[in-house]
């Protein structure tokens, strides 16, 4: 007895889009496939479903062998194969595609979504068009009964599809900027390390005390700039720094270069400083700490350097640097014998539009700068 042949339905796959390689490259450049759900996209499909009065709305991204949904309402799968994809047909058409009755359309009459559960009858999709003109998917709505969208619904779906692309472009730019900052940070750090090594080598080869002091001054100034760079890179390129984190980070970096017998303690009130102000404070603090390390604690005497930044109301700030050493002997010019340290600290105070006061005595040293943010 001859076995009856089972008739198989031949699902109609969409044609391969023109410039498919470029289209897929564009899609993958957004790094969005297989990412977690995001409220911005969930809100878009929820709004599209409500406006179009459909049970299903999807942000569908058409990959090489699948369609993946960045956001979805009323549809459980996160992705489907292309034989179930109406969107793979839609991206071949104009900006907007409406299929009032999938059973009557040659592209979709045998689509599994139509002939099986959930028996989708209606489809409308607005293409997601990248700035280079490549279509990466659709914002679509589906219904279980044949129907038409009115003009307002069609226009709203197209507007929302452009909003999807705006969100994708924004995230792409943020990623590119972050990668650029990371590369810049890497190059700058390498440059800092090279220059610091050259300064140390130069200092070891110089015998003249004044020249050594000048090189030490340059190395401290360089260290202040390096610390500011480190702090700014953690702020994602913003034009201001947080007072607490900046002074704390600066204190840690200065501690790394201080002898074990000297502790550096920092404290600050919450607030923000402009980048230029942070740079000036870094210069003053670095000079004060270097001066204390060199003169305040002779014979490996233990001691403490305290650095504080206090809010004084109405945008006023007080920077105060103290040590409890007694070895300054009245030196107020900084840790070099040329007077360059004093000049640079004065210049930094001028940059803050502040007034610098210093008192170096037998019981320790204090330096204060009052300024406005």
């Amino acid at each position: 007895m001859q076995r009856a042949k089972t008739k198989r339905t031949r699902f109609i796959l969409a044609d391969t889009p023109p410039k498919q390689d470029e289209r897929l490259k564009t899609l993958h450049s957004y790094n969005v496939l297989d990412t977690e759900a995001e409220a911005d996209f969930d809100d878009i499909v929820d709004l599209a479903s409500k406006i179009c009065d459909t049970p299903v709305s999807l942000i569908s991204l058409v990959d090489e062998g699948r369609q993946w949904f960045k956001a979805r309402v009323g549809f459980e799968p996160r992705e489907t194969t292309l034989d179930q994809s109406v969107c793979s047909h839609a991206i071949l058409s104009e900006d907007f595609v409406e299929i009032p009755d999938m059973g009557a359309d040659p592209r979709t009459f045998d689509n599994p979504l139509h002939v099986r559960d959930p028996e989708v009858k209606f489809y409308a999709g607005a293409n997601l068009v990248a700035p280079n003109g490549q279509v990466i998917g659709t914002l679509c709505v589906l219904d279980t009964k044949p129907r038409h969208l009115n003009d307002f619904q069609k226009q709203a779906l197209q507007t929302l599809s452009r909003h999807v692309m705006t969100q994708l472009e924004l995230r792409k730019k943020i990623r590119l900027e972050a990668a650029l900052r990371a590369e810049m940070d890497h190059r700058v750090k390498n440059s800092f390390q090279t220059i610091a090594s050259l300064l140390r080598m130069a200092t070891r080869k110089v015998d003249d005390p004044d020249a050594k002091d000048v090189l030490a001054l340059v190395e401290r100034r360089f260290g202040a700039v390096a610390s500011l760079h480190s702090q700014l890179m953690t702020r994602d390129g913003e034009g201001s720094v947080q007072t607490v984190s900046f002074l704390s980070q600066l204190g840690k970096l200065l501690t790394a270069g201080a002898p074990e017998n000297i502790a550096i303690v920092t404290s600050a009130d919450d607030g923000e400083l402009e980048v230029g102000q942070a740079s000036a404070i870094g210069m003053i603090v670095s000079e004060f700490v270097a001066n204390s390390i060199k003169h305040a604690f002779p014979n490996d005497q233990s001691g403490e350097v305290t650095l504080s930044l206090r809010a004084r109301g109405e945008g006023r700030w007080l920077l105060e640097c103290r040590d409890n050493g007694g070895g300054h002997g009245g030196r107020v010019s900084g840790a070099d014998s040329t007077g360059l340290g004093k000049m640079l600290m004065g210049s930094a105070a001028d940059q803050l539009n502040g007034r610098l006061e210093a008192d170096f005595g037998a019981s320790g040293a204090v330096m204060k700068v009052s300024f406005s943010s």
Side-chain angles (χ1 to χ4, degrees), residues 60 128 169 216 236:
S60 173
L128 302 175
E169 282 291 316
D236 295 329

Side-chain angles (χ1 to χ4, degrees), residues 221 224 276-287 319 340-356 367-371:
R221 177 60 168 160
Q277 291 177 316
S279 178
I281 289 172
M283 177 70 252
I284 294 170
V285 167
S286 298
E287 278 301 302
L319 172 67
L340 285 176
K342 181 180 180 180
M343 179 184 70
L344 287 174
M345 284 189 287
S347 176
D350 289 342
Q351 186 178 346
L352 290 168
N353 291 320
R355 184 177 69 257
L356 187 148
M367 178 177 288
K368 299 179 181 180
V369 181
S370 179
F371 65 97

Side-chain angles (χ1 to χ4, degrees), residues 168-242:
L168 291 174
E169 282 291 316
L170 177 61
R171 284 156 175 75
K172 182 178 180 180
K173 288 179 181 178
I174 290 172
R175 286 195 305 274
L176 291 175
E177 288 174 1
L180 183 60
R181 284 198 301 271
E183 176 63 20
M184 180 181 68
D185 184 36
H186 175 71
R187 291 175 181 269
V188 170
K189 284 180 177 177
N190 284 345
S191 298
F192 281 167
Q193 292 171 356
T194 300
I195 295 171
S197 297
L198 291 173
L199 286 171
R200 286 191 293 269
M201 291 174 57
T203 302
R204 286 195 295 266
K205 292 181 179 180
V206 171
D207 295 325
D208 182 81
D210 288 345
K212 280 184 175 292
D213 280 341
V214 171
L215 286 171
L217 177 68
V218 172
E219 189 171 355
R220 291 193 304 277
R221 177 60 168 160
F222 181 76
V225 173
S227 68
L228 177 62
H229 166 79
S230 178
Q231 179 66 23
L232 287 177
M233 290 309 293
T234 66
R235 295 288 294 165
D236 295 329
E238 294 180 17
S240 62
V241 296
Q242 296 295 318

Side-chain angles (χ1 to χ4, degrees), residues 15-29:
D15 293 335
T16 300
K19 299 183 179 179
Q20 171 77 328
D21 290 343
E22 183 179 350
R23 192 192 71 82
L24 292 174
K25 183 179 179 181
T26 301
L27 169 61
H28 297 157
S29 73

Side-chain angles (χ1 to χ4, degrees), residues 248-326:
S248 174
Q249 179 71 11
L250 186 56
K252 290 177 181 178
L253 292 168
L254 293 172
T255 297
E260 294 182 358
N261 59 301
I262 300 175
I264 299 175
V265 180
T266 64
S267 63
D269 292 336
D270 287 328
E272 288 189 347
L273 297 172
E274 295 178 356
V275 171
Q277 291 177 316
S279 178
I281 289 172
M283 177 70 252
I284 294 170
V285 167
S286 298
E287 278 301 302
F288 183 88
V289 170
N291 193 49
S292 296
I293 290 173
K294 186 170 184 179
H295 296 290
F297 309 103
N299 303 319
D300 295 328
Q301 172 188 336
S302 296
E304 183 177 275
V305 179
T306 60
L307 312 170
S308 67
L309 189 57
R310 300 298 177 204
R312 289 292 181 260
E314 297 181 355
R316 298 289 300 174
W317 290 89
L318 176 65
L319 172 67
E320 186 172 281
C321 308
R322 290 181 178 272
D323 69 51
N324 60 356

